[in-house]
Amino acid sequence: MYLSNHIARTIGIILCLLFFSSVTWAKAPEVRVFGYVLDSDNRGIELANVYVEGTTNGTTTNQNGYYDLTVEMGDTIIMVYSMIGYESIRQQLYTTNKVLGVNVVLPTNEEMLSEITVRGIQRQTGTMERTDVSVARLMPDATGGGIESLLITFAGVRQNNEMSSQYNVRGGTYDENSVYVNGLEVHRPLLIRSGQQEGLSFVNADMVESVDFSAGGFDAMYGDKMSSVLDIRYKRPTAFESRLNMSLLGASAYVGWGDSVQSQMHGIRYKTSKYMLGALDTKGNYKPNFLDYQTQMTWKVGAGPKSLPEGKDIDKAWEIRLLGNFSQNSYEFMPDSAVKNWGGLDAIEQKIEHEGKEKDMFRTAFVALSASGKVHPEVTISADLNGFYTHEQETYDIRTAYVLRQKDMNEANNSGGGYDANGELATPDGNKKLLGKGEYHEHARNTLQSGIITLAHNGEWKRGTNTLKWGVSGQVEMITDRISEWEWRDSLGYSLPNADKEMELYYAMKGTTRMLNGRLQAYAQNTYRWSTEQGKVFLTAGMRLNWWSFSNEVLPSPRVSVVWMPGWKRDFTFRVATGIYYQAPFYKELRQTIQDDKGVYRIHLNDKLKAQRSYQLVLGTDYYFRAWGRPFKFTAEAYGKWIDRMESYTVDNVRVRYSGMNDSEGYTIGLDMKLMGELVPGADSWISFSTMRSRMRFIDDKHHLGWIPTPQEQRYNLTIYFQDYLPQLPQYKLHLKFIWSEGLPFGYPRKENMRYLGHLSDFKRIDVGASRTFSAKTDKWMKNAKHVDSWSIQFDVFNLVGWKNENSYYWVSAINGLQLPCPNYLTGRMFNLKFDVKIK
């Protein structure tokens, strides 16, 4: 009861803060008219015209056939509903109510319909799912409102750190997700180890036209990653457009313009997470500054039709596209004192004093030049040349002193203990208030420079019911990596590990590595479509090849998918996808650490390492239906992955550390379900639930661990995204995001026999936002703002309930071998205020 009252009061405060801003303006009486325009099969008609007869007041329907229009109140009004290929309808409405819901069905005009292609609700005819990118702009998000904030609400996608934009899919690592922008694969920095260091993701949401995502079973045209594909297409503006955004987390500015020959887009983004970092347990002076500039320019060269002997004309224009990006992430941190309470009923108190500083810099640049055009009415080809460069520096010297005290052993019930050298639960001596004290010193001077140059050709041939796609690319990879890091620990006056004659470091790693390699990739796939009395069938089959000079290994990757849309009265779609998917190794996977006779870990690049290989099967279904007159879609996918030649790894915050060897094997099975629809007219909401089992075992299981959870196993995950608005004032909206998932597995670092000790506590989080949009459609005074299309104000509450979510454990050592896991918590309840202005 207390929790529900607390949430209700908080939401009430939010709405009151926003409501005051506009209700004081007097307006003429108005009526809100909304509803759906449907065809004879009860499917929404996209881009249908809806307007008040005899006026210019009108709108068009969205992809679900939904419209929403504000009209002046009168005795009666006549609404007109029209769409090419359908007969128009005139509807007389009595405006006695301030809100009218009107659904209409447009009869088909067979003569006109045979000459055009009518768009409606998009059906998924492959393994890629398209999503509405505009939702990400309104979603409350602690990382700044990127596309990733939308993905983590999808079935099968998980994220357990609100400070990071990284995500894992169906038990895979962060490195197993491919991201494409305009068909070009995007790379990211390699040294980032925590969400605090992360800046902005590559994708600029203001520049996005479409977003397609697949959580498995994707086509051969997508690269050699095992988990997922995010395919982003940037838009090509045909008129002037601009947007400004400001919040407590940063700011962004975007401008674009164009015509039939050329277009340009420019976007600059700034982010600072200083406000969010102030909510962490570790206090100090945080200076995180992240800056990003991105541009896209397009030109059409040689425009004009070209006649061919067979009577077909083609546009001989070629489109030249330039995409550029520069980003700089600067992170400085001077830690201060901290007090942590943990263990059962917070039975252990840890007082910490820090001195020192961390200073990191991640600077990346990307540029791509592309040319595409038609060489035949049925054939389109393209050529791309792109380069990526990153310069990363990680520097820190931090010395820490701590004191551990037991507060109340009777309440703790032994849960304030730790783990001994054999991984068994141990209990501190209950007769002592002082559990331990000590110091540790962490030092690093790490730098990495990497450059990647890629030359690629792609093509597409559409003929009848066949679509053939192909591509070939060559890539050069250059990497220089210098590592020098160590950690010294002292517990109760003893250096760890304890040596009789000299002081030894607890951990040390040094090395300089250089790489120069080449990579060749090629693919070909064909999609064949046919229709029968039983329904429509889409068959896609393809093959992908990858060769890397470092390992001299060729990776053949066959992939097949079948989609069946039966001609039933109920609207179902069934699909099955299978194939062999590889995780082509890059630099991080090759790094094998070997300990020398002085206990120092040295970096060795394992040229015998084989690419991880997985055999995947995906079975899925979609069911489209209408309830309460609104469109809904239920999706379910069952999947299985068997991985041989697996490379074991551990996860430290967001950094993945690989063993550098094919030392294990594993499997993942699971079920993803998602129900999506308009709980309120015109606003999509959804609920997703996933369950999975992801296990691995070592080939040389010398510690007899057997099958243990992979570091990314989360056996259950529930996400909800909900949108609502006031019926008579739809410009007032509420957005809620809820995540509840099992905590990640944890173990003791660098000890194989203690790799798995349990799961972190469940990750629970509610983010809520309330917004008010001002536009000429709803606010008459906005008509005087000639250059402002609309603007909005939004108030967000992150982690509404204030749940303490664990991110990881830091292990405190004692001379007797006892290991005490000290939790690192994520942020608590935080607030954000955001302004967004759309300029015309």
Side-chain angles (χ1 to χ4, degrees):
M1 179 64 69
Y2 171 78
L3 180 60
S4 61
N5 291 337
H6 177 77
I7 295 175
R9 285 199 303 270
T10 304
I11 295 177
I13 292 173
I14 295 172
L15 293 175
C16 289
L17 287 173
L18 296 177
F19 189 77
F20 82 93
S21 58
S22 67
V23 295
T24 56
W25 282 294
K27 299 189 295 184
E30 293 179 336
V31 177
R32 177 186 170 222
V33 183
F34 69 94
Y36 297 89
V37 180
L38 309 172
D39 62 14
S40 57
D41 293 324
N42 209 31
R43 295 181 177 179
I45 301 176
E46 186 179 12
L47 299 180
N49 296 306
V50 182
Y51 61 93
V52 180
E53 188 175 59
T55 73
T56 59
N57 186 11
T59 186
T60 58
T61 57
N62 66 10
Q63 65 177 5
N64 293 326
Y66 177 79
Y67 72 93
D68 199 325
L69 191 64
T70 301
V71 301
E72 292 186 1
M73 181 176 288
D75 292 335
T76 61
I77 59 173
I78 296 178
M79 300 292 297
V80 180
Y81 302 85
S82 65
M83 177 64 185
I84 298 176
Y86 297 89
E87 297 180 8
S88 299
I89 287 183
R90 298 171 70 253
Q91 183 86 34
Q92 183 175 357
L93 304 179
Y94 295 92
T95 57
T96 55
N97 297 322
K98 291 186 177 181
V99 181
L100 295 176
V102 180
N103 298 337
V104 299
V105 177
L106 297 186
T108 302
N109 187 325
E110 298 295 342
E111 294 181 1
M112 297 179 62
L113 192 64
S114 62
E115 300 175 1
I116 64 169
T117 300
V118 179
R119 300 171 63 190
I121 296 179
Q122 183 175 358
R123 297 308 193 255
Q124 188 173 335
T125 59
T127 58
M128 302 292 289
E129 178 183 6
R130 177 153 295 186
T131 187
D132 183 6
V133 67
S134 64
V135 177
R137 191 180 308 281
L138 299 173
M139 184 173 290
D141 175 44
T143 63
I147 298 297
E148 294 79 7
S149 66
L150 180 63
L151 292 183
I152 63 174
T153 64
F154 289 6
V157 184
R158 294 166 174 82
Q159 183 192 69
N160 283 65
N161 187 343
E162 69 273 7
M163 303 297 298
S164 171
S165 61
Q166 300 301 316
Y167 55 91
N168 60 79
V169 178
R170 293 178 175 175
T173 70
Y174 311 121
D175 300 320
E176 295 179 17
N177 305 312
S178 294
V179 179
Y180 288 83
V181 175
N182 294 340
L184 307 172
E185 187 168 8
V186 174
H187 306 276
R188 65 186 185 94
L190 300 174
L191 289 184
I192 288 179
R193 70 180 191 280
S194 68
Q196 291 91 312
Q197 297 172 313
E198 273 196 38
L200 296 152
S201 67
F202 181 90
V203 180
N204 188 328
D206 290 329
M207 303 171 72
V208 171
E209 179 180 59
S210 64
V211 177
D212 293 285
F213 180 74
S214 173
F218 39 88
D219 295 338
M221 64 181 293
Y222 298 107
D224 295 284
K225 299 292 179 69
M226 292 196 300
S227 288
S228 74
V229 168
L230 176 63
D231 191 358
I232 304 289
R233 290 287 170 177
Y234 278 180
K235 58 188 174 183
R236 185 186 183 279
T238 56
F240 179 82
E241 57 186 41
S242 182
R243 186 181 290 272
L244 301 174
N245 184 282
M246 294 176 291
S247 75
L248 297 179
L249 303 179
S252 67
Y254 159 78
V255 61
W257 67 89
D259 52 33
S260 60
V261 177
Q262 61 85 33
S263 71
Q264 293 190 38
M265 291 192 298
H266 303 272
I268 186 169
R269 297 178 293 170
Y270 169 75
K271 174 186 173 183
T272 175
S273 53
K274 183 175 183 177
Y275 171 64
M276 295 292 296
L277 295 174
L280 298 177
D281 285 343
T282 302
K283 306 301 180 182
N285 185 13
Y286 290 92
K287 294 181 179 179
N289 293 287
F290 313 117
L291 185 66
D292 169 273
Y293 168 73
Q294 199 160 148
T295 182
Q296 177 183 269
M297 304 179 187
T298 66
W299 303 269
K300 282 194 173 182
V301 181
K306 177 181 179 181
S307 298
L308 297 178
E310 56 267 33
K312 297 180 180 179
D313 291 341
I314 64 170
D315 188 350
K316 63 180 182 180
W318 282 72
E319 182 176 270
I320 310 299
R321 186 190 301 260
L322 176 67
L323 177 64
N325 171 262
F326 173 81
S327 67
Q328 178 172 292
N329 300 348
S330 173
Y331 175 77
E332 293 187 24
F333 173 46
M334 297 180 65
D336 202 348
S337 60
V339 177
K340 293 184 177 182
N341 296 297
W342 41 282
L345 300 177
D346 290 338
I348 296 179
E349 178 186 76
Q350 183 183 24
K351 293 184 177 180
I352 305 172
E353 295 289 339
H354 299 280
E355 65 177 17
K357 182 179 181 179
E358 177 175 357
K359 184 175 182 179
D360 306 322
M361 177 71 73
F362 305 92
R363 187 178 290 121
T364 64
F366 177 82
V367 63
L369 182 64
S370 307
S372 61
K374 285 184 175 292
V375 296
H376 186 273
E378 300 171 343
V379 179
T380 302
I381 63 172
S382 66
D384 306 285
L385 176 63
N386 65 81
F388 170 80
Y389 174 77
T390 178
H391 184 197
E392 307 171 31
Q393 294 178 311
E394 185 181 47
T395 303
Y396 55 82
D397 260 305
I398 299 178
R399 187 163 183 166
T400 303
Y402 65 88
V403 176
L404 295 175
R405 295 186 183 276
Q406 182 178 339
K407 294 169 61 178
D408 190 339
M409 283 300 296
N410 292 326
E411 293 182 354
N413 290 327
N414 297 333
S415 60
Y419 295 88
D420 59 24
N422 296 319
E424 299 295 333
L425 186 67
T427 305
D429 188 346
N431 297 322
K432 295 182 180 180
K433 292 292 184 179
L434 179 66
L435 297 181
K437 61 181 179 178
E439 297 182 33
Y440 54 89
H441 187 170
E442 297 174 296
H443 166 98
R445 297 291 186 273
N446 301 330
T447 62
L448 184 143
Q449 290 178 285
S450 174
I452 302 174
I453 300 175
T454 305
L455 178 63
H457 158 70
N458 293 278
E460 182 180 81
W461 179 23
K462 291 185 177 181
R463 186 176 182 86
T465 58
N466 281 280
T467 299
L468 176 65
K469 296 182 180 181
W470 69 89
V472 61
S473 66
Q475 185 169 290
V476 177
E477 304 160 353
M478 300 159 285
I479 297 176
T480 300
D481 185 20
R482 296 180 177 90
I483 295 179
S484 176
E485 59 184 42
W486 51 261
E487 180 180 349
W488 168 79
R489 292 193 183 188
D490 172 275
S491 181
L492 294 174
Y494 293 91
S495 175
L496 296 177
N498 186 22
D500 294 334
K501 298 182 179 180
E502 60 182 6
M503 185 183 73
E504 294 186 9
L505 294 175
Y506 180 75
Y507 159 76
M509 180 182 294
K510 291 181 178 293
T512 298
T513 306
R514 292 179 175 87
M515 284 182 60
L516 177 60
N517 303 294
R519 193 186 300 265
L520 297 176
Q521 302 177 76
Y523 75 88
Q525 69 177 50
N526 183 68
T527 299
Y528 178 62
R529 302 171 295 278
W530 71 90
S531 300
T532 66
E533 294 182 356
Q534 287 72 35
K536 298 179 181 179
V537 179
F538 300 81
L539 170 63
T540 301
M543 171 67 77
R544 186 175 188 89
L545 296 174
N546 183 306
W547 172 80
W548 196 28
S549 63
F550 185 83
S551 61
N552 196 30
E553 183 183 18
V554 177
L555 308 177
S557 178
R559 307 174 189 181
V560 179
S561 66
V562 179
V563 176
W564 177 40
M565 302 174 65
W568 302 342
K569 183 176 181 180
R570 295 187 180 274
D571 202 345
F572 280 93
T573 298
F574 300 95
R575 61 183 169 273
V576 57
T578 187
I580 301 176
Y581 293 81
Y582 291 89
Q583 182 70 20
F586 195 60
Y587 174 67
K588 287 201 305 184
E589 290 93 329
L590 295 175
R591 296 200 322 183
Q592 185 178 9
T593 56
I594 300 177
Q595 196 170 23
D596 63 18
D597 55 358
K598 295 183 179 181
V600 178
Y601 288 94
R602 303 289 181 178
I603 301 296
H604 168 72
L605 299 183
N606 183 8
D607 59 357
K608 304 298 182 184
L609 181 73
K610 300 296 184 182
Q612 299 181 81
R613 179 173 57 194
S614 67
Y615 303 87
Q616 301 189 18
L617 176 65
V618 179
L619 302 173
T621 183
D622 299 326
Y623 175 42
Y624 301 84
F625 63 98
R626 302 188 75 86
W628 307 293
R630 304 164 197 161
F632 286 85
K633 174 187 174 183
F634 174 74
T635 298
E637 282 194 348
Y639 61 89
K641 297 190 287 187
W642 170 261
I643 308 173
D644 64 354
R645 310 196 310 192
M646 186 175 178
E647 186 176 0
S648 65
Y649 65 94
T650 58
V651 179
D652 179 14
N653 202 308
V654 298
R655 175 181 286 181
V656 181
R657 296 183 181 271
Y658 295 95
S659 66
M661 301 178 291
N662 300 114
D663 56 358
S664 55
E665 58 186 358
Y667 69 89
T668 301
I669 56 174
L671 175 65
D672 296 334
M673 293 177 289
K674 179 180 179 182
L675 176 63
M676 178 178 180
E678 297 184 2
L679 293 177
V680 294
D684 282 331
S685 301
W686 57 84
I687 178 172
S688 302
F689 178 75
S690 301
T691 180
M692 63 176 290
R693 180 181 177 90
S694 183
R695 297 297 167 112
M696 59 167 287
R697 67 179 178 185
F698 290 96
I699 296 175
D700 180 15
D701 192 6
K702 56 185 177 182
H703 297 291
H704 306 291
L705 299 177
W707 290 98
I708 59 174
T710 64
Q712 298 287 8
E713 182 194 61
Q714 291 175 282
R715 289 169 291 189
Y716 50 86
N717 182 67
L718 175 67
T719 59
I720 298 174
Y721 179 65
F722 173 70
Q723 297 186 84
D724 199 0
Y725 54 79
L726 299 179
Q728 297 186 15
L729 297 169
Q731 60 269 37
Y732 291 90
K733 297 182 178 180
L734 178 72
H735 321 273
L736 183 145
K737 181 172 66 175
F738 170 72
I739 301 176
W740 188 325
S741 60
E742 184 182 35
L744 292 170
F746 73 90
Y748 188 74
R750 294 184 288 275
K751 282 189 178 293
E752 188 174 301
N753 65 317
M754 299 172 65
R755 179 177 288 267
Y756 172 68
L757 297 172
H759 282 254
L760 300 175
S761 60
D762 284 5
F763 181 88
K764 304 183 293 292
R765 185 176 180 89
I766 298 176
D767 296 333
V768 63
S771 65
R772 167 52 159 111
T773 301
F774 300 84
S775 67
K777 178 181 176 180
T778 56
D779 302 273
K780 300 300 183 183
W781 61 271
M782 280 289 295
K783 292 182 179 180
N784 298 323
K786 296 182 179 180
H787 300 293
V788 178
D789 182 78
S790 64
W791 68 278
S792 64
I793 179 174
Q794 181 166 327
F795 182 70
D796 297 330
V797 182
F798 303 137
N799 197 358
L800 177 65
V801 183
W803 282 311
K804 295 183 68 173
N805 290 309
E806 296 173 345
N807 181 35
S808 60
Y809 284 137
Y810 183 82
W811 294 80
V812 182
S813 304
I815 189 61
N816 60 1
L818 190 68
Q819 311 295 332
L820 298 175
C822 174
N824 296 313
Y825 291 107
L826 294 167
T827 58
R829 185 186 300 109
M830 302 291 289
F831 305 94
N832 184 40
L833 188 63
K834 181 166 61 176
F835 296 90
D836 186 84
V837 182
K838 185 178 180 181
I839 302 173
K840 57 183 178 181

